[in-house]
Amino acid sequence: MTAFWTEADFDDHELVQLVRDRRSGLTAIIALHSTHLGPAAGGTRFWHYADAGEAMRDALRLSRGMSYKNAMAGLPMGGGKAVILAGEDKAKTPDMLAAFGDAVEALGGRYVTAEDVGIGESDMVAVSQRTDYVSGLPVSGEGAAGGDPGPFTAMGIYHGIKAAVRYKLGKDSVEGVHVAIQGTGSVGGGVARLLAKDGARLTLSDINQARAAELAEELGAQTAAPDAIMGVACDVFSPNALGAILDEDGIARLDTPIVAGGANNQLACAHHGRMLAERGILYAPDYVINAGGIISVTLEYLARRNGTPSDINEVRKRIARIPERLEEVWRKSDESGQSPDVVADRMAQELIGRG
């Protein structure tokens, strides 16, 4: 691995910290991209990486994405991300989570963490025993915001897909619209259920094929093999698993006029957004459409810090504005001839003082 500051994904990050704790076996990377708008907020990913370079690239790209996501969602937070390098057995221990919590605490509030791939609500509760700079903790009461961000992320993507269908296809409803969904976990599964209620026609796929099949049976949907879902002829392709799937090969396989889903960093490289545009495919920038979860956990965190009730209605109002931001991006893209990802990046950069 080369020096991280020479990596293509290093973007004047304010802090990149390696965390090692011999006693617990913790190895983690915490990356703070920007604190221009407030403390750097972003989840912690627990993942086994084939090499350390992949972990560093994830931390750099995901933290930058969080800066853009929080800015475009109108949140008073900067962008950060942490990755915990799991062993091949993906063993996670209380001591490891405690050591990670101590590392977050040592940053003195510059970084606020939350759950991400491989980290759940109970893990965040464990981390919160060592630091207050944690969001996405369980909340009580039906009207309280916070807890598992997955359903809120799914709600934002659902609104974003409807906006894309309206903008590209001229349809005010998703009834009968064919959506191919890659990933049927907390987010993808939530998107599928919301679309199914509106009468969308669904094709589902997941590396856990049994999970996809079970959800398909529940919703009356079709399934596709994991290696076939990107080639399904559909109205909307919705990627809701891991990122970097939109590369030359992936884009060439697409048979859809719209890509709108919640996976982070869907574009493998910057020029792939232009490739989508050249094929006439409308792209919903991932950090704009998938902001529902961070909206929820941020409002929960701020309410807790201020000693005020967290209001789920305010979360829903902010999530309902995601289509407005997407439509602004698409309009500016049409006017300028620049692809939506470039337009969104420039809008976000201006918001964080880097325009």
Side-chain angles (χ1 to χ4, degrees):
M1 183 178 71
T2 58
F4 69 81
W5 56 88
T6 66
E7 290 278 346
D9 292 306
F10 181 75
D11 182 41
D12 288 332
H13 285 67
E14 294 180 11
L15 178 145
V16 180
Q17 181 180 78
L18 174 69
V19 179
R20 280 285 296 145
D21 182 72
R22 278 180 59 183
R23 188 178 67 83
S24 66
L26 173 71
T27 300
I29 300 168
I30 300 175
L32 310 187
H33 178 257
S34 170
T35 57
H36 180 79
L37 295 175
T44 296
R45 179 164 292 193
F46 185 86
W47 194 253
H48 174 64
Y49 293 92
D51 66 73
E54 290 183 16
M56 180 59 73
R57 284 187 288 276
D58 236 4
L60 294 175
R61 293 191 75 184
L62 291 166
S63 57
R64 178 181 58 204
M66 289 308 304
S67 285
Y68 293 0
K69 180 185 299 190
N70 293 335
M72 293 290 271
L75 298 173
M77 306 296 276
K81 204 76 173 185
V83 296
I84 296 176
L85 284 69
E88 289 189 36
D89 59 358
K90 295 188 178 179
K92 187 194 308 168
T93 68
D95 285 346
M96 193 180 293
L97 294 172
F100 177 72
D102 291 341
V104 173
E105 177 67 20
L107 291 173
R110 291 184 68 193
Y111 173 54
V112 179
T113 194
E115 61 187 84
D116 199 309
V117 176
I119 292 285
E121 197 173 89
S122 62
D123 298 322
M124 284 295 101
V125 171
V127 171
S128 73
Q129 304 306 306
R130 311 297 286 233
T131 182
D132 289 333
Y133 305 116
V134 177
S135 57
L137 297 174
V139 292
S140 58
E142 290 186 6
D148 178 10
F152 298 100
T153 303
M155 177 62 72
I157 296 162
Y158 161 74
H159 283 306
I161 288 174
K162 292 201 298 180
V165 167
R166 184 167 55 248
Y167 193 90
K168 182 72 175 181
L169 305 181
K171 296 182 178 181
D172 291 327
S173 168
V174 293
E175 185 174 2
V177 170
H178 185 189
V179 183
I181 298 178
Q182 181 186 51
T184 57
S186 173
V187 173
V191 172
R193 289 185 174 94
L194 290 168
L195 290 171
K197 285 182 182 178
D198 283 357
R201 185 162 62 92
L202 304 177
T203 299
L204 310 178
S205 184
D206 197 290
I207 56 173
N208 183 340
Q209 296 187 56
R211 179 169 66 185
E214 183 177 354
L215 183 60
E217 184 175 357
E218 173 191 334
L219 302 179
Q222 300 296 312
T223 60
D227 61 356
I229 187 68
M230 290 187 72
V232 170
C234 59
D235 298 307
V236 182
F237 171 61
S238 184
N240 295 286
L242 295 179
I245 58 164
L246 296 175
D247 55 14
E248 282 83 353
D249 291 340
I251 292 170
R253 292 168 56 201
L254 291 173
D255 188 1
T256 182
I258 298 169
V259 173
N264 288 311
N265 297 322
Q266 294 167 28
L267 301 175
C269 295
H271 68 277
H272 291 132
R274 185 176 67 252
M275 290 181 65
L276 286 171
E278 288 170 349
R279 286 202 54 199
I281 297 172
L282 182 69
Y283 173 61
D286 47 51
Y287 57 79
V288 181
I289 195 173
N290 68 11
I294 194 65
I295 289 171
S296 170
V297 298
T298 293
L299 295 188
E300 170 252 310
Y301 173 78
L302 293 174
R304 182 158 40 86
R305 297 290 289 183
N306 296 332
T308 57
S310 56
D311 184 1
I312 197 168
N313 289 321
E314 180 61 24
V315 173
R316 289 170 176 156
K317 283 183 200 174
R318 288 184 180 238
I319 290 175
R321 295 184 197 131
I322 287 175
E324 296 174 18
R325 186 68 91 177
L326 286 168
E327 288 163 3
E328 182 183 7
V329 169
W330 293 328
R331 282 195 305 270
K332 288 184 176 181
S333 173
D334 288 342
E335 291 166 1
S336 67
Q338 296 174 321
S339 58
D341 59 298
V342 171
V343 170
D345 284 357
R346 290 185 177 172
M347 290 171 64
Q349 287 159 4
E350 289 179 3
L351 290 169
I352 65 172
R354 298 191 185 189

